[in-house]
Amino acid sequence: MAQNKKPDLIRLYHLNSSRIRSYQPDPVDYEKQPFGRRTYLGAKRIDLPGRDFELSVSLGDSLRQRRSRREFQLAPLKLEVLGQLLFASYGVSEKFVVDDQLIAHRSSPSAGGRCPLELYVVAQRIDGLEDGIYHYDSWSHQFEELRLGSFNDELSGMLFGQWYLSKANLIVC
């Protein structure tokens, strides 16, 4: 505490961010933990191609050419390119068991290895895939079909009128 009896915010920050704790946390009850990933029982499953890291552009070239864009061409996109993008960014590349727990290894980092994100894709004009909303099951590298149809216009309205999204082949949520 500071001399004037007000909290010393700097000291509080350092005490609360320290790796040394003076208390013992409650033990984790692994039996009460939720299932580690989302699945939609009964949903039609679609196998995705491109379960590899064989990208046609190097990482350096990709980073050098990366730009935020607001103009999209609604030209057909190959399903293999979409599959490679999803696998390289969030797909499970290796599975192993630690303390009787099945653990996934991915190319993207995650605090504690929990990988809590679930990816949903709003797709239109993807070769070999109907327009619609899909859940990406990163463990099996499959789509789970949730709804068919065109949703880009509706989604762009929900995202504060970002009209340019209506021409995007895919929106990853």
Side-chain angles (χ1 to χ4, degrees):
M1 291 286 236
Q3 294 294 335
N4 62 7
K5 306 280 186 190
K6 290 184 180 178
D8 181 352
L9 295 180
I10 294 171
R11 181 169 164 71
L12 284 173
Y13 171 79
H14 285 289
L15 287 173
N16 288 312
S17 62
S18 171
R19 289 188 285 158
I20 300 170
R21 299 282 186 237
S22 61
Y23 65 91
Q24 290 295 322
D26 293 333
V28 175
D29 185 354
Y30 289 102
E31 298 299 319
K32 293 183 180 177
Q33 296 296 310
F35 188 60
R37 64 180 206 216
R38 175 73 194 221
T39 58
Y40 291 87
L41 296 176
K44 177 183 173 187
R45 290 183 153 294
I46 301 163
D47 291 324
L48 292 172
R51 192 175 198 156
D52 58 51
F53 291 97
E54 302 301 320
L55 305 176
S56 61
V57 179
S58 73
L59 177 61
D61 287 342
S62 294
L63 293 173
R64 186 174 16 269
Q65 296 172 17
R66 195 219 65 78
R67 299 288 181 271
S68 294
R69 306 233 188 257
R70 300 290 186 271
E71 296 174 13
F72 303 107
Q73 296 175 346
L74 192 53
L77 180 69
K78 292 182 180 179
L79 185 59
E80 184 175 6
V81 171
L82 175 55
Q84 284 180 312
L85 173 69
L86 291 172
F87 182 75
S89 61
Y90 206 66
V92 173
S93 57
E94 185 181 350
K95 300 170 191 166
F96 51 95
V97 177
V98 175
D99 296 332
D100 296 327
Q101 294 270 22
L102 186 60
I103 306 293
H105 183 266
R106 303 170 198 256
S107 63
S108 57
S110 175
R114 303 300 298 173
C115 302
L117 299 179
E118 294 292 335
L119 301 186
Y120 294 84
V121 173
V122 181
Q124 71 175 346
R125 296 212 49 201
I126 308 290
D127 286 340
L129 185 69
E130 291 186 66
D131 292 359
I133 301 173
Y134 299 88
H135 172 252
Y136 176 57
D137 183 347
S138 59
W139 286 72
S140 64
H141 193 58
Q142 293 178 319
F143 271 152
E144 293 176 296
E145 183 182 287
L146 301 181
R147 290 183 69 189
L148 294 179
S150 179
F151 298 97
N152 287 43
D153 290 334
E154 185 178 343
L155 187 58
S156 69
M158 292 164 53
L159 296 171
F160 305 106
Q162 296 183 42
W163 53 268
Y164 46 85
L165 293 177
S166 64
K167 290 188 176 183
N169 285 96
L170 60 110
I171 301 168
V172 181
C173 308

